[in-house]
Amino acid sequence: MTDVAGTEVQVPTEDGTADAYLARPADGAPRPAVLCFTDAFGVRPTVRESADRLARAGYTVLVPNLFHRRGPAPVVELPAFIDGETRGELFRLLRPALEELTPERATADAGAYLRYLAGLPVAADGPVSLVGYCMGAGLALRTAGAFPDRVAAVAGFHGGRLATDDPHSPHLAAPRITAEVYLGHADQDPSLPPEQIERLERTLTDAGVRHRCEVYQGAAHGYTQSDTASYDEKADERHRAALLELLSRTF
């Protein structure tokens, strides 16, 4: 097992400093970089554990606080376990932060995170990979379209609202994406109905994006998040295998 060093870091952005979690092999050698976009609940113990697992596999992983304009993570108090009853109240509290993170601000932030990784001694030279969960899957797709020369691969899991009629819908980034894309959709996900999955698949195909989209049967939105009631151990294991396979092909 590779020893891992995990530290809290500060990333300069156009709108102040973003706190972030950085996980890397403890030997300090430059490793391929992975930029992780979290779900709306943000950086927390289970997310740090996931980053540590990736670092153990030989990667340098940056997990920024996407809502840094609201203060350090977590920007709202989180329970140890998020069930269906508390989920709605948490989203009510998070709504201002969600609305504040406009596509323009998210793209500017992503550029700052990529610049930070480019100057990090423990991150290998060259393009990075992106992984996103829930809302983070859409951010990953948009980032790949905005910075095609900096992104080699994109993985998104249980993403929501990926192919809507909104003029900023993530699927519209497809023509600018040069990275390979893997998407693991949740079967039981009202935020990504079959018609959106079909539109996303068609758009990626028409744009010539190398991609694979899979529907995880029986899995709910949030199936990778072990501190929530949506967690699905079997689907989570499948997601980890798919992510590592993508990263091994990329680097």
Side-chain angles (χ1 to χ4, degrees), residues 101-193:
L101 189 65
T102 62
E104 294 80 10
R105 285 174 172 162
T107 299
D109 284 352
Y113 306 145
L114 292 171
R115 286 192 297 275
Y116 180 83
L117 284 170
L120 203 61
V122 294
D125 293 337
V128 308
S129 290
L130 311 177
V131 58
Y133 298 91
C134 300
M135 62 172 273
L139 294 176
L141 286 172
R142 287 203 195 102
T143 300
F147 304 95
D149 60 329
R150 291 287 296 124
V151 178
V154 178
F157 299 95
H158 46 81
R161 298 183 59 78
L162 296 180
T164 69
D165 293 329
D166 188 284
H168 297 291
S169 177
H171 79 290
L172 298 176
R176 301 182 298 280
I177 293 176
T178 58
E180 181 178 352
V181 174
Y182 175 88
L183 297 170
H185 305 309
D187 179 44
Q188 306 296 314
D189 190 349
S191 70
L192 194 74

